[in-house]
Amino acid sequence: QLQDGRRLYGHVRRSLPLHGKSPKRYDVGRRGERALVLLTQTAGAGQLYQAILKSVDAISSLNLALDPSLKKVKEPEKLFLHALHREQQRMAAHYQKSPAEHRGKPLIAALSGLEVQESPLYTPHDINRYMVPTCLLQSNGASGGDPKHTHNLPTADTTSSVLPLLRCVGVAHALRIFAALLSERRVILASSSPTRLSTCSHAALAMLQSGLLHWQHLYIPVLPPHLWQYL
């Protein structure tokens, strides 16, 4: 939570970048682990943000393996994110103008040319689709931009899946975590996979959101090992 009252939510994906001297091979050299982090002010929408991080990881790997003479864009990751943002803005404007009876359902954003960029041969088949939840389509004009009213806006935590948490810890431990959250106790999850840890953290909050409850305390999906002393 920031000093002005706004909250930031993080989504993490584990990445293994290609080796610099052998960019076309995945089995050469020691590749240090990297974490792709996406910060947003919107609670939930975990499936969309994980899909975005997966696409960014794939675009980065493809760009490293591509021959320099074939590269048309210097930073294709930024091109993808900007294109997705423009599409979300267009869809939000269309959603807000649509009749009330047609609202309440997520929309599909389709982007082409992400893998092979603009090509008359491959572009019609190179299409990536992303399901945009309604919390990213509704306007926050009713709150006037005041962070004190942002908690009244709809969120997508209710659409986040709780299955990852159930698969990792089981039903009994998931219920214990749920009881601890209801009691506003401190909960610490540990995992060797940052992606799994982030997914389970969002799944734990999704259980609260299913009952229209909000976690009002500090929330850190993934904490680096060198900051453990602050727990």
Side-chain angles (χ1 to χ4, degrees):
Q1 184 171 351
L2 303 180
Q3 294 182 352
D4 57 2
R6 292 179 300 168
R7 287 191 175 188
L8 294 180
Y9 300 88
H11 303 267
V12 183
R13 175 179 174 84
R14 176 175 173 267
S15 175
L16 286 175
L18 299 179
H19 196 272
K21 296 183 179 180
S22 302
K24 296 184 180 181
R25 296 185 59 180
Y26 289 85
D27 57 342
V28 175
R30 298 180 59 185
R31 298 180 292 154
E33 294 185 0
R34 297 293 186 270
L36 299 177
V37 181
L38 190 151
L39 299 178
T40 176
Q41 297 184 34
T42 304
Q47 295 180 356
L48 172 63
Y49 291 125
Q50 288 299 330
I52 293 175
L53 290 175
K54 184 177 180 179
S55 297
V56 171
D57 191 11
I59 293 174
S60 300
S61 300
L62 181 63
N63 187 53
L64 288 174
L66 195 63
D67 188 271
S69 61
L70 300 177
K71 296 181 180 180
K72 299 181 181 179
V73 182
K74 185 177 181 181
E75 296 179 320
E77 300 88 352
K78 287 186 177 181
L79 180 66
F80 159 67
L81 294 176
H82 290 166
L84 185 60
H85 179 262
R86 291 192 298 268
E87 182 67 12
Q88 182 269 337
Q89 294 293 317
R90 184 193 66 80
M91 295 170 60
H94 173 74
Y95 182 87
Q96 295 165 21
K97 295 179 181 178
S98 61
E101 59 271 14
H102 294 164
R103 301 182 184 180
K105 296 182 179 180
L107 300 181
I108 303 298
L111 300 179
S112 61
L114 296 182
E115 296 185 11
V116 296
Q117 299 179 12
E118 296 299 330
S119 171
L121 181 61
Y122 297 105
T123 297
H125 307 283
D126 180 19
I127 300 178
N128 291 265
R129 294 178 173 84
Y130 304 89
M131 185 175 68
V132 182
T134 56
C135 69
L136 297 180
L137 300 174
Q138 298 179 0
S139 174
N140 58 356
S143 64
D146 190 351
K148 297 181 180 179
H149 297 85
T150 54
H151 64 277
N152 296 325
L153 298 177
T155 67
D157 276 343
T158 53
T159 63
S160 299
S161 176
V162 299
L163 290 179
L165 183 63
L166 296 176
R167 291 170 179 169
C168 290
V169 302
V171 177
H173 291 294
L175 292 177
R176 293 181 62 185
I177 294 175
F178 182 57
L181 294 176
L182 290 177
S183 303
E184 299 187 1
R185 302 290 299 273
R186 184 172 63 172
V187 178
I188 300 177
L189 302 178
S191 174
S192 59
S193 172
T195 302
R196 186 182 302 113
L197 182 60
S198 176
T199 304
C200 290
S201 300
H202 289 296
L205 290 189
M207 292 192 298
L208 285 179
Q209 288 286 341
S210 299
L212 300 180
L213 301 176
H214 297 270
W215 181 252
Q216 301 294 337
H217 305 285
L218 183 64
Y219 170 61
I220 306 177
V222 177
L223 186 68
H226 65 277
L227 297 179
W228 285 354
Q229 66 269 20
Y230 294 102
L231 293 178

